[in-house]
Amino acid sequence: MAEHDFRYSLLNPQHTLTECRALAPGRYQVTGNGGSIKAADTLLVTLKGSRDLCLRLQVEKVRHLINPPGQWLAVAKGPVFKELAILNWQVNCDACSAQLDFEFAVDAALGEKARAPAAQARISELGWVARGERHLCPNCQGDAQ
């Protein structure tokens, strides 16, 4: 159960993704080279159109191809999106006015009501805290307690 990082930032020709496409909501087909992928491994894959968002996919089954050598085809499960949207938002720290410019992924099929919870989840991943309408950056969280 290893974790394999295939994000664009690594750009290693011996360890790359050829394709990642959705088969159905929550199921993905991934083709790549290198990495010795096995069932139950985790793949980190950059979201198309994003600066820094990635999907965390759990490999269900993998088939290693003979030609070209080192290539594999995997079926994996991951986040369920009917219609993926990547949005950019900004928040300011209410204590020091530091600004966070961030991206987050949301299922556009769920409409406007899904945006705020998805944004709050992403803010938390980045180490910020939201208390009602107030936001605190990681530096100011210790001061507030």
Side-chain angles (χ1 to χ4, degrees):
M1 289 187 254
E3 186 172 274
H4 305 275
D5 196 340
F6 285 98
R7 291 178 285 188
Y8 290 148
S9 59
L10 298 179
L11 295 179
N12 179 352
Q14 283 74 40
H15 190 81
T16 59
L17 282 186
T18 307
E19 179 183 41
C20 180
R21 65 184 181 114
L23 298 172
R27 293 191 44 87
Y28 300 85
Q29 178 178 303
V30 184
T31 306
N33 288 312
S36 301
I37 307 300
K38 298 178 183 81
D41 283 357
T42 302
L43 304 177
L44 295 176
V45 179
T46 302
L47 277 171
K48 185 177 182 178
S50 170
R51 288 179 283 149
D52 57 1
L53 291 177
C54 69
L55 287 177
R56 183 176 295 275
L57 305 176
Q58 286 296 127
V59 176
E60 293 178 335
K61 59 184 175 180
V62 63
R63 187 177 77 192
H64 294 273
L65 306 175
I66 295 170
N67 200 6
Q71 191 170 41
W72 47 265
L73 177 78
V75 175
K77 62 181 174 182
V80 177
F81 293 106
K82 290 182 183 176
E83 185 181 333
L84 176 65
I86 297 171
L87 302 174
N88 292 301
W89 279 14
Q90 291 179 341
V91 292
N92 294 314
C93 177
D94 289 311
C96 70
S97 299
Q99 187 176 52
L100 173 66
D101 182 17
F102 67 101
E103 292 181 314
F104 65 99
V106 66
D107 190 344
L110 298 175
E112 293 283 330
K113 66 179 187 249
R115 288 183 178 187
Q120 292 297 341
R122 181 67 176 147
I123 289 170
S124 295
E125 286 176 18
L126 296 171
W128 285 54
V129 172
R131 294 186 179 129
E133 294 295 314
R134 294 179 43 86
H135 296 93
L136 294 174
C137 70
N139 296 332
C140 296
Q141 290 173 29
D143 299 339
Q145 294 179 6

